Structure formats: structure tokens, C-alpha cells
Amino acid sequence: MTADTDSRSLRIVLADDDPVYLRGLAIILEDEGHEITGRAGDARGLRAAVADTLPDLAVVDIRMPPTHTLEGLRAAVEIRRAQPSVGILLLSKDMELTHLRQLLEAGPAAAAGGIGYQLKSRVTGADFVTEVVEEVGAGRYRIDGEIQRALYRTQRRRDRLAALTDQQLKVLELMARGLSNSAVAARLSISKRTVEDHVNTLFDKLGLRPEAKETYDRRVRAVLMYLASDD
């Protein structure tokens, strides 16, 4: 679907384990002229419905049975790779960035469907359909502003960590394990002064500037940035 087909009826698969929410979403979409080609309460049903009907768009709750962790998101990544022309619109009560980049990077760029990610609290009536569903159905990206800011912060952390040398990363990894500078020095067979130099340099590269009370707070923040880089 291209930009000049925004107003066309979309064929949509819905996936959410809350039947009341699923029904309400279906009513909103059908009232705006879209066709619901399948409904699913779990990831397996979602994959089957998409394979059977090849819709324009799949609207997917990230957390689904049986574990209510990331089944919906994982299924969306699989669908994106197998049927890249199907647009994917993720919905979630809470912001979840884990594996989201896999969805954004999955599937070929050419002829791929759109991708969206919206917090459920922002899903309201016809405005949601016209401003989000139809844009994603038309092959565009529509990421919630709050989620965009979180993605940017995550990418900025990764970029800063990428600027560290191998030795500095080793020091930071050992810091994350709770080792003191003396213990890091012993583990790496270098002097404590060298470790201190590495720590001060990585603070600078990570954008952690000195403040009034000092290094403990910066040390904790550096470790948190390191641990958060895997999100």
C-alpha cells in the first residue's frame, strides 16, 4: 500500500489476549471502514491468522500468553521476516524496548509494510485509526514520541560505549561486577593508577561530568549505562 491509498479500507489482523480490549479495538476499526480478517489471543494464533489471510496490517499486543513476556513482539519479528509486506503495529501498556530494534531491522526495506509502536494509553477512537493505523497501513513508520525518546537515549548510550577502548570496556565490565579499582587492577594485571586513569577517561567518554559529591555516583551511572546497553 502506498501513500496515495491512505483512505482505502485496510485488511487487519488483531492480536490481544484481552477479549474486551480486542472487541473494542475491532469496533473502532470497523466503524472507520476497515476489515478485520482475523483475531488472535496468543502468538501462535497471530502467526496463523497472518499466514492464512495475508493482511495489510497486524495490530499486536507485545505481551501475550503463555508467559506474558514478549511473545507478541517475537511473533511480530517473525512475521516481518517472513511476510515483510505486512505492516506491524505494536501496542503495549508499558514501554518495552527489548528486541524492538530487531523488528525495525527485520525484513527488506523495499516493498516492506509500515511499522508502528504505540502505548495503549494513547489509543483513543477515530484519531488513533486515522493518525496511526492508516499511516502504518500505508507503509510509514509511526513510533510513539515517548518511545522515540527512549530509543534515542539507548542509542546514545551505545554510541558512547562504542567509543571506549577494549581495555576501558574490560574495566567497566569488572566495575559492573562490583570490583573495586584495586580488584580490577589485580584482575587485569595493571596498576591501580592505570585503572583510575581508565575510569576517569571512560567517565568523560560516557558524558559523566564531575559534580559536587563525586565519583561513587558517576561509577554507578557508568555501570547502569553499561547494563542498559543490552536492552
Side-chain angles (χ1 to χ4, degrees):
M1 187 171 293
T2 58
D4 61 354
T5 61
D6 289 11
S7 61
R8 286 178 52 184
S9 174
L10 295 170
R11 301 173 66 255
I12 302 173
V13 165
L14 301 178
D16 196 298
D17 65 308
D18 182 341
V20 175
Y21 185 85
L22 195 66
R23 183 172 182 273
L25 190 56
I27 290 172
I28 291 173
L29 292 167
E30 289 174 335
D31 282 349
E32 294 301 313
H34 301 295
E35 177 188 358
I36 306 304
T37 64
R39 304 186 193 190
D42 57 31
R44 178 180 296 180
L46 165 62
R47 288 190 289 265
V50 169
D52 290 344
T53 67
L54 287 178
D56 300 305
L57 178 68
V59 181
V60 182
D61 185 13
I62 285 180
R63 298 182 182 274
M64 301 182 72
T67 67
H68 294 278
T69 54
L70 298 174
E71 282 91 342
L73 178 53
R74 294 189 186 101
V77 172
E78 292 175 18
I79 291 167
R80 184 69 173 178
R81 289 171 177 162
Q83 289 107 4
S85 64
V86 176
I88 300 291
L89 174 55
L90 298 173
L91 300 178
S92 180
K93 290 181 181 178
D94 304 304
M95 188 158 47
E96 176 57 71
L97 302 182
T98 304
H99 304 309
L100 180 57
R101 291 179 184 278
Q102 294 180 28
L103 177 62
L104 295 172
E105 296 167 359
I115 292 178
Y117 185 6
Q118 296 289 308
L119 297 175
K120 282 188 172 182
S121 60
R122 301 180 192 268
V123 176
T124 55
D127 287 345
F128 164 71
V129 176
T130 57
E131 296 177 8
V132 180
V133 171
E134 291 177 0
E135 283 200 21
V136 177
R140 303 191 188 104
Y141 281 33
R142 184 62 185 256
I143 309 297
D144 190 289
E146 187 175 337
I147 296 167
Q148 286 187 45
R149 289 188 286 274
L151 285 169
Y152 173 76
R153 289 192 296 269
T154 300
Q155 185 59 53
R156 186 168 57 181
R157 286 195 297 266
R158 287 177 173 153
D159 291 343
R160 287 176 172 174
L161 286 168
L164 300 182
T165 66
D166 289 343
Q167 188 80 325
Q168 289 160 2
L169 279 171
K170 289 177 183 177
V171 169
L172 184 53
E173 179 185 359
L174 294 174
M175 286 167 55
R177 296 182 186 178
L179 274 65
S180 66
N181 285 355
S182 297
V184 171
R187 182 70 62 88
L188 297 179
S189 299
I190 57 180
S191 70
K192 182 180 176 183
R193 176 58 183 272
T194 299
V195 172
E196 292 170 349
D197 289 342
H198 282 318
V199 169
N200 288 327
T201 300
L202 70 85
F203 282 163
D204 289 339
K205 288 184 176 180
L206 295 178
L208 302 176
R209 302 292 180 237
E211 296 178 3
K213 300 179 179 174
E214 246 5 302
T215 60
Y216 179 74
D217 287 341
R218 284 201 294 171
R219 194 179 187 92
V220 171
R221 289 166 62 195
V223 167
L224 290 175
M225 289 179 71
Y226 173 76
L227 296 175
S229 66
D230 289 331
D231 287 351

